[in-house]
Every structure is written in C-alpha cells, then in structure tokens.
Amino acid sequence: MTAGIDLGHPQAQAIQSDEDVVRVRQLVRTVAVAARLSLVDQTKLVTAASELARNTLVYGGGGVAEVTTVDNGRRRGIRIVFADDGPGIVDLDLALTDGYTTGGGLGLGLSGARRLVDEFDIVTGSGQGTRITVIKWSR
Amino acid sequence: MERVPVLKIGDILLVSIQVDMSDQTAVQLQEDLAERIVATGCHGVIIDITALDIVDSFVGRMLSTIASISRVLDAETVVVGMRPAVAITLVELGLSLNGIRTALNVERGMELIAAAQADDYDYSAEDEPDDETTATR
Amino acid sequence: MALSAEENGRLTGLLSEHAERVVQRWTEVATASLRGRLSQAELRRQVQDLHRSMVEAGRGGSFDLESESAGELRAVLAELSRGRARQGFTATETAVSVYGLKDVLLELLESDADTALRDYVAFSSLVDQMGLFTFESFVRTREGLIADQAEQLLELSTPVVKIWEGVVAVPLVGTLDSARAQVVMERLLQTLVDTSSPYAIIDITGVPAVDTQVAQHILKTVVAARLMGADCIISGIRPQIAQTIVALGIEFGDIATKASLADALRHVLRLTGAETARRQPRRES
C-alpha cells in the first residue's frame, strides 16, 4: 500500500452506535469534499465507509474510524482506518467473497467496499481484532 | 430517533427520504410503511430518494424488503429519483436491487403505478383469466 | 544554504536602503529578457511585490523559502509563476525575472569590495532557490492546464443529445478507454435526470474496437440507468464487434441491441407509442 504524505492530523470518530455510523458518513463526506474528490468518487468512498463502519459496529463490537487527507506527490486522496478489538475474521478469503455473510446482511460489505476504493488493506486474525485501511485517490 | 414521514396522496403512499437515515430509522420506516399500506388500502408506494447522497447495502436491502412486503399486501412500489452517482456506486458495489421498480422522478413513478393499475383494471374488465387481479377485485 | 544571521541582515539592509534602485534595475533586466511581451508598468509592479515581500521576509528573520517569515514571498513567487504559465511564457522566461536580481545585487556589491564576493555567493544561492521555486510552481500550473484541457477534450468528444421527447442518444466516436467511458457514463446518466428521459440510445457505430473493459463499462452504464428508472438500447454494433463480443464471452443478457440508430429510435417509439395507446403490461410476472 503506497503510504503518501499525511496532510493534517487524522480526524477520529468513535463507532459505538447506529448514529455513529451516520456520523462517520458525514465526516468522510466533509473531508472528501474538501479534498476535491469528484462527485462519483465521493459517493463511492462514503458508501464504502458506511459499509465498513457498520461492519466495525456489528462484527467488531464497536471501534473507531480515522479519516486523513493524504498526498502521494501526484494526487490527493483520503485514507480511512477502521479499527476494532473484536473477535477478528477467521477466514479472510471467505469473508471477502461476494454474498458471504454471518450477520444476516447481503454479504456485500467487505467485498463491495473493496471494489469502491483504490486501495484496501486488512489486518486481522482470530481474537486479534480487525484493522481495515482504505484509500481513495482523486482522479 | 428520527422518523421518515409517510404521506398519503390519493391512492398512493409517498415517502420522501430527506435525512441521512440510521439503520434503525430505516427499519422503522419499513414497519411504518407496512402498517400504513394495510391501514389505508393504498395500491401504490413511491419512495423518493432524490435527497439521498448514498445508498449502501443496508438501505438497498430495506428498499428490496419494502418492495416485497408491499407486493404481498397488493401494493406496487416504485423507487424514484436515484442520483447518477448513487446508481454508479450501487453497480460497483454489486447491488442490483432485483425486483424493485424504478423511475426517474415522482411524476414518472406515478405514471408507472397508474399504468400498472390500469392493467389490472383492463384485465378484469376483459375477463381474461388473471389470477393476480381476480383475487382482489 | 541558508543565510547566516549576519548575511541576512546585510541583504535586508541592502534591499531596503537601495529600494528604488533595486526595483528600477531589476525591472530593466526582467523587461529585456521578456522582449516587451509584458508591459513595463506590470513588470515593475510584480518586481515591487517581490522586493517588498523579500524585505518583509528578511525583517522577519529568514529568507529561507521553507521558513515562516517567507510565507508572503512564497505566495508572490507562486502567483508570478502561475501568471506567466497562463500567459504562455516559457519556464526560462519566468525564472529570469527572478534571476535578474543577481545582476542587480552584483552591481550594488561592487562598491564595497571587502565582503562582496562572499556575500554575493550567499545571496545568489538564495536567488537560485527562489528561481527553482518559481520553476516548480510554473510546471505545476502547466500540468493543471494540460489536465483541464484533457478534460475539456473528453467532454467535447462525448455529446449527449436529446433526439426525441423522452429519448437521449450518445453517439460514441473513437477509442473508448476507461477514463472516457466513465465520463460518458456519468454524463449520460445526468442527462437522463436533467431531461427526465426514460430512454437512452448508446450508438457505437464510431467505435473501432470493443474489448472486455469497454464492454463492461457499457454494461455497467445500462445497469445503472435501469436502477434510475431508464432503459438503454445499444445500436450500431458492427460485425467485427459482434464477433469480439461473442468471442470474449461477454453476456449482453436482456439488453436491447439494434443495428442502427434509426432502428433503435423506431424501437423506442414503438415502446412509448404502445404505452400510451394501450397501457402496456408492466407488472413483472
């Protein structure tokens, strides 16, 4: 995952309730607008953030989202880190398969979110919590 | 918790979602609508999502469920006003909203429902064998 | 390469003491290199700005462009470069306006031979730094201009036209790469909303080749349009393209395809006509 240089400090939003998922969406949108992402890219990023924030709440038992504007020298982008101390994901390949779900959803959260962003990195394991990092670059 | 209002206009229930819904609000709307369809006997439901800047898998599933529930209750659901960016994102997300009928705006949505009801009427008037309509009229 | 406190003081002194002469000579040097393509009055104003922000930076403690006191100087340099880039000057012509200060400083220092050489070397490395900064700003502005033009070109090459009440068409001409396909998709969908048209015809007569990616983009557009409540018809599929589509195993599914734009329009009109004449059954089975 290309790191890029951080522009400014990350803005954090705790994810402990339904309303917090809405707050994550609003925070991501504000930052995406400020970073001049195109309307479609904003929409994709906010949608991905919504899926991942809900996962953090439902499967991770709550956690935190950190939103940072980054610059890789050529383009500006937004990096969002979703971290929780939940049970972690045991079979990552299976979890990233379209349609697979353990929570009664559509099973599009992880796999769908991955398609909506430019970079997607996940660190997890049984009992280790989950840390998902995504980046969307401006076109 | 915020609640999305359900308006009755003639034979149609109109839901215009104006807020960034939490999951709970979405579930509440689903329940409210089912109750209102039965209480009012309306045969059409229009859900206007012009104001929604995203539709994620949760809201997508809610829309599908509302469509299925209303079908069981003999009402036609049309989702109207989806923004281009939202549609593009949904395609990328892999959500096809199967079984949901859509229209560009409220006006087109009302035409669609009127057409569907005219069909029902036509069929029963022409006395064609039509299981779907004979049960209710 | 930062100036020592002592050199800093001397340069600030030099600049403010001989303010009028510095601005005058600097303007002359810069004018000569631009060969009259910029009026002397305008150049003089720019040089005055530069001079003033330099003195400000010097009084603030440091000329170093990275430092806080040079904020105004950075802004003036960036503004100068942006202006030149937009007016079509070359990078050299832009940088010379800054390098002109070297000549002026040399003239000023000759009178005081003692520390002259050491100071001159120190001062000119500062001017070099300023020059490089201008150069970078210049290139960035140019790149921005190129990107804007590329975007304009994209928009020009993908007209979305309303051809009938409720029917829009996109005649695609030329190679369809990912970036362009995306622009087409967004514009088409937006036009559907703006004109409240439930039908779109995508005509690919002018597209020389279709690969998997392009086909995917077209398919996604059709699905997105359906989500919004509009139907797409694809027309103008040439024999070779039909063969590629089949060979690549791309599934067009239930998407309507027609041989020509005219056929597609006829198809749509029949659909809409049927709808008004006899409310066509629309309830899915």
Side-chain angles (χ1 to χ4, degrees), chain A residues 50-104:
Chain A
S50 181
E51 300 291 344
L52 295 173
R54 184 177 297 109
N55 276 359
T56 301
L57 180 68
V58 175
Y59 301 103
V64 68
E66 277 182 6
V67 188
T68 321
T69 309
V70 291
D71 196 323
N72 69 354
R74 287 191 310 119
R75 292 188 295 175
R76 195 162 272 211
I78 314 264
R79 181 180 63 223
I80 317 176
V81 179
F82 295 88
D84 66 61
D85 297 319
I89 301 170
V90 182
D91 190 339
L92 191 56
D93 286 341
L94 193 59
L96 283 168
T97 310
D98 265 356
Y100 175 80
T101 178
T102 57

Side-chain angles (χ1 to χ4, degrees), chain A residues 37-44 136 139, chain B residues 82-89 92, chain C residues 151 154-155 158 160 168 170 172 178-194 202 217-218 220-222 224-225 228:
Chain A
L37 254 60
S38 75
L39 183 61
V40 171
D41 286 341
Q42 284 172 31
T43 310
K44 286 182 176 174
K136 185 96 194 157
R139 258 189 257 152
Chain B
M82 185 184 291
R83 297 184 186 181
V86 172
I88 292 171
T89 303
E92 212 69 52
Chain C
E151 204 167 296
L154 266 182
E155 297 202 348
T158 51
V160 181
V168 298
V170 214
L172 293 177
S178 236
R180 198 170 151 222
Q182 240 157 3
V183 172
V184 174
M185 180 162 166
E186 286 167 29
R187 285 181 48 125
L188 172 60
L189 298 180
Q190 190 54 52
T191 312
L192 291 176
V193 176
D194 294 344
I202 303 174
H217 274 297
I218 295 177
K220 280 181 186 170
T221 310
V222 175
M228 292 167 51

Side-chain angles (χ1 to χ4, degrees), chain C residues 220-248:
Chain C
K220 280 181 186 170
T221 310
V222 175
V223 178
R226 271 192 195 157
L227 283 175
M228 292 167 51
D231 272 328
C232 291
I233 294 105
I234 298 169
S235 70
I237 302 181
R238 288 184 291 124
Q240 305 95 299
I241 292 186
Q243 284 187 14
T244 334
I245 290 173
V246 174
L248 289 171

Side-chain angles (χ1 to χ4, degrees), chain B residues 71 74 76 82-84 87-88 90-92 95-97 99-105 108 111-112 115-116 118-120 122-123 126 132, chain C residues 165-166 182 185-186 189-190 192-193 195-199 219-221 223-230 275 278-284:
Chain B
R71 202 166 297 134
D74 191 31
E76 191 75 47
M82 185 184 291
R83 297 184 186 181
I88 292 171
L90 279 181
V91 173
E92 212 69 52
L95 212 62
S96 56
L97 299 187
I100 300 185
R101 311 189 59 187
T102 52
L104 289 168
N105 48 41
R108 295 261 177 202
E111 283 170 17
L112 209 59
D119 287 343
D120 280 2
D122 280 352
Y123 284 133
E126 287 161 19
E132 207 174 35
Chain C
E165 199 52 53
Q182 240 157 3
M185 180 162 166
E186 286 167 29
L189 298 180
Q190 190 54 52
L192 291 176
V193 176
T195 61
S196 179
S197 303
Y199 292 99
L219 286 178
K220 280 181 186 170
T221 310
V223 178
R226 271 192 195 157
L227 283 175
M228 292 167 51
E275 222 169 66
R278 183 194 170 279
R279 298 286 186 183
Q280 200 208 1
R282 275 186 152 252
R283 185 185 280 262
E284 57 244 89

Side-chain angles (χ1 to χ4, degrees), chain C:
Chain C
M1 78 184 239
L3 270 59
S4 71
E6 200 186 324
E7 287 161 348
N8 187 47
R10 269 208 292 279
L11 180 55
T12 314
L14 211 58
L15 285 172
S16 42
E17 228 170 273
H18 305 278
E20 190 44 43
R21 189 171 154 206
V22 170
V23 171
Q24 182 58 36
R25 283 292 297 138
W26 195 353
T27 310
E28 282 166 21
V29 176
T31 315
S33 71
L34 293 180
R35 290 186 300 274
R37 280 195 285 150
L38 208 58
S39 76
Q40 186 143 8
E42 170 135 30
L43 254 176
R44 190 182 168 82
R45 196 185 45 73
Q46 288 174 349
V47 168
Q48 268 169 343
D49 278 351
L50 272 174
H51 176 262
R52 183 181 40 75
S53 58
M54 278 189 81
V55 172
E56 216 168 273
R59 291 204 175 124
S62 171
F63 283 104
D64 190 9
L65 283 178
E66 309 271 302
S67 73
E68 209 161 295
S69 59
E72 176 67 18
L73 179 56
R74 275 199 304 272
V76 171
L77 283 172
E79 183 49 42
L80 174 86
S81 328
R82 271 201 292 276
R84 293 284 153 84
R86 292 222 181 83
Q87 288 156 356
F89 288 98
T90 66
T92 309
E93 284 165 340
T94 308
V96 161
S97 297
V98 174
Y99 287 136
L101 177 60
K102 281 197 196 182
D103 295 355
V104 181
L105 286 174
L106 188 60
E107 286 167 21
L108 283 177
L109 285 167
E110 269 165 1
S111 49
D112 184 9
D114 242 8
T115 48
L117 185 63
R118 204 161 43 85
D119 275 359
Y120 182 66
V121 171
F123 296 169
S124 57
S125 74
L126 165 72
V127 177
D128 288 346
Q129 196 196 0
M130 283 165 56
L132 284 175
F133 183 84
T134 343
F135 190 72
E136 255 172 50
S137 316
F138 180 90
V139 171
R140 209 168 297 140
T141 306
R142 272 292 170 89
E143 278 173 354
L145 283 177
I146 292 170
D148 285 352
Q149 282 169 354
E151 204 167 296
Q152 282 169 7
L153 209 61
L154 266 182
E155 297 202 348
L156 281 179
S157 63
T158 51
V160 181
V161 288
K162 182 172 173 180
I163 56 170
W164 204 273
E165 199 52 53
V167 188
V168 298
V170 214
L172 293 177
V173 178
T175 319
L176 208 55
D177 60 7
S178 236
R180 198 170 151 222
Q182 240 157 3
V183 172
V184 174
M185 180 162 166
E186 286 167 29
R187 285 181 48 125
L188 172 60
L189 298 180
Q190 190 54 52
T191 312
L192 291 176
V193 176
D194 294 344
T195 61
S196 179
S197 303
Y199 292 99
I201 300 173
I202 303 174
D203 185 76
I204 59 170
T205 313
V207 179
V210 168
D211 59 12
T212 322
Q213 233 187 348
V214 170
Q216 283 300 336
H217 274 297
I218 295 177
L219 286 178
K220 280 181 186 170
T221 310
V222 175
V223 178
R226 271 192 195 157
L227 283 175
M228 292 167 51
D231 272 328
C232 291
I233 294 105
I234 298 169
S235 70
I237 302 181
R238 288 184 291 124
Q240 305 95 299
I241 292 186
Q243 284 187 14
T244 334
I245 290 173
V246 174
L248 289 171
I250 298 161
E251 208 47 77
F252 264 57
D254 53 350
I255 297 167
T257 50
K258 294 287 164 224
S260 67
L261 188 61
D263 282 350
L265 182 59
R266 196 173 299 127
H267 173 75
V268 172
L269 291 181
R270 207 168 46 228
L271 281 182
T272 49
E275 222 169 66
T276 37
R278 183 194 170 279
R279 298 286 186 183
Q280 200 208 1
R282 275 186 152 252
R283 185 185 280 262
E284 57 244 89
S285 48

